[in-house]
Amino acid sequence: MKEITVTDSAVRAESVTYIYERLKSLAEETGGEAKLKFGARATLRIKCPSSFADFLRSETEDKIADVVAVNYKYVYFKKRIEAAGLSALDREILYSAIIAADVEDDKRYVVRKIRQFEEYPIDGLFNFRLQPLKRKWSEIAGYIPSYFSKSQLKEFVAYLIGEKRGKRARVDGGEVYDVNFNRLKRTLLTGKNEEGRIIREVILSACGDVDVMTKLPEKDEKYLREFYGKRAHFLF
């Protein structure tokens, strides 16, 4: 059996939990197991047969990249982008849109820099191997206005969304899925706030179009119509 270990500081325990929840079934299906432990650090240990080690390692790196490109980026921007003039939900939508603008590029960079480690201390990797990513985020934060009006937010977010092509999301029964019907849960990496969860999940999916299969909470539907326009397809 091979072992893959992922750790992070205790304050980011929810990020390690996110990885655990995304990989637990996969580890078990390949004849292994995944165990989560909390203490001074949050620790995830995945054991699997050697024949599946490369596959599980690749999946682990993808989920670590999710954590860095969404959670770490979210925390970084939230500290540095004030976005005065916006409500709490509007700020969360703004952060989601900025994260989604290049989330796939950020993920590819993270995977390239952490590839084939036996152990993955996420905070250590971020601080020592991913410094160029931090510098990139600093430059982006410097471009973001300190004040937004409601109309400016709509224009800015619609522009970022408008750059997306090819990917499609699906909203059904209050949950968001990709084209392969995998449930998307990136909002778990941006805190526990449930307000506007669906619109934020759709934005974080970095999709260009969204199919809405069932009725939505009023606020989520309003924002979907505002930001996606004709690329939000209401099919209920």
Side-chain angles (χ1 to χ4, degrees):
M1 297 285 279
K2 291 284 189 178
E3 182 171 300
I4 302 166
T5 303
V6 180
T7 68
D8 208 339
S9 61
V11 296
R12 294 186 186 270
E14 289 183 5
S15 292
V16 180
T17 301
Y18 169 88
I19 299 172
Y20 166 76
E21 290 177 347
R22 305 298 277 179
L23 296 179
K24 181 177 183 292
S25 295
L26 203 57
E28 292 172 349
E29 288 168 7
T30 58
E33 63 178 13
K35 291 188 176 180
L36 196 57
K37 182 179 180 181
F38 301 109
R41 292 181 66 78
T43 301
L44 167 63
R45 286 190 171 86
I46 301 170
K47 292 182 179 180
C48 63
S50 299
S51 56
F52 290 103
D54 288 344
F55 170 67
L56 261 298
R57 186 174 291 110
S58 177
E59 290 296 313
T60 301
E61 290 167 353
D62 179 73
K63 300 306 175 286
I64 291 171
D66 260 351
V67 167
V68 174
V70 179
N71 175 260
Y72 274 67
K73 194 174 183 181
Y74 172 78
V75 172
Y76 189 90
F77 283 146
K78 193 167 185 178
K79 288 179 179 178
R80 290 162 177 82
I81 298 175
E82 183 179 0
L86 298 179
S87 68
L89 175 55
D90 286 344
R91 278 195 297 273
E92 292 299 317
I93 289 173
L94 174 65
Y95 299 142
S96 297
I98 298 171
I99 290 167
D102 55 359
V103 66
E104 300 305 330
D105 288 341
D106 284 354
K107 283 191 62 176
R108 281 190 289 270
Y109 177 79
V110 172
V111 170
R112 189 166 69 248
K113 298 297 286 186
I114 69 170
R115 185 166 288 153
Q116 299 298 306
F117 276 70
E118 292 294 328
E119 296 188 8
Y120 302 90
I122 302 177
D123 49 355
L125 292 169
F126 180 72
N127 289 323
F128 293 102
R129 293 188 65 86
L130 301 173
Q131 284 297 311
L133 198 59
K134 191 184 293 187
R135 289 195 291 271
K136 172 189 168 184
W137 295 350
S138 178
E139 290 180 8
I140 293 171
Y143 296 138
I144 305 300
S146 59
Y147 179 89
F148 273 87
S149 66
K150 184 76 173 179
S151 61
Q152 286 172 323
L153 173 71
K154 180 180 177 181
E155 181 179 347
F156 184 72
V157 174
Y159 167 76
L160 293 178
I161 291 172
E163 295 294 296
K164 301 298 179 185
R165 292 290 185 273
K167 290 184 66 176
R168 200 176 194 97
R170 177 187 180 101
V171 182
D172 196 354
E175 303 297 342
V176 183
Y177 301 86
D178 65 16
V179 292
N180 297 315
F181 299 100
N182 297 307
R183 184 179 168 190
L184 303 177
K185 298 182 179 182
R186 283 178 172 172
T187 51
L188 293 175
L189 297 171
T190 62
K192 296 181 178 180
N193 185 7
E194 280 291 307
E195 187 180 22
R197 178 183 59 82
I198 295 173
I199 178 61
R200 290 186 291 117
E201 195 71 71
V202 170
I203 292 172
L204 286 169
S205 75
C207 70
D209 289 84
V210 53
D211 295 327
V212 184
M213 312 305 295
T214 53
K215 187 71 176 173
L216 297 175
E218 182 179 343
K219 200 168 286 188
D220 290 287
E221 181 174 338
K222 171 179 174 288
Y223 278 111
L224 269 175
R225 292 186 185 276
E226 282 186 5
F227 295 139
Y228 282 86
K230 293 181 180 179
R231 292 194 293 158
H233 311 282
F234 292 86
L235 304 175
F236 54 87

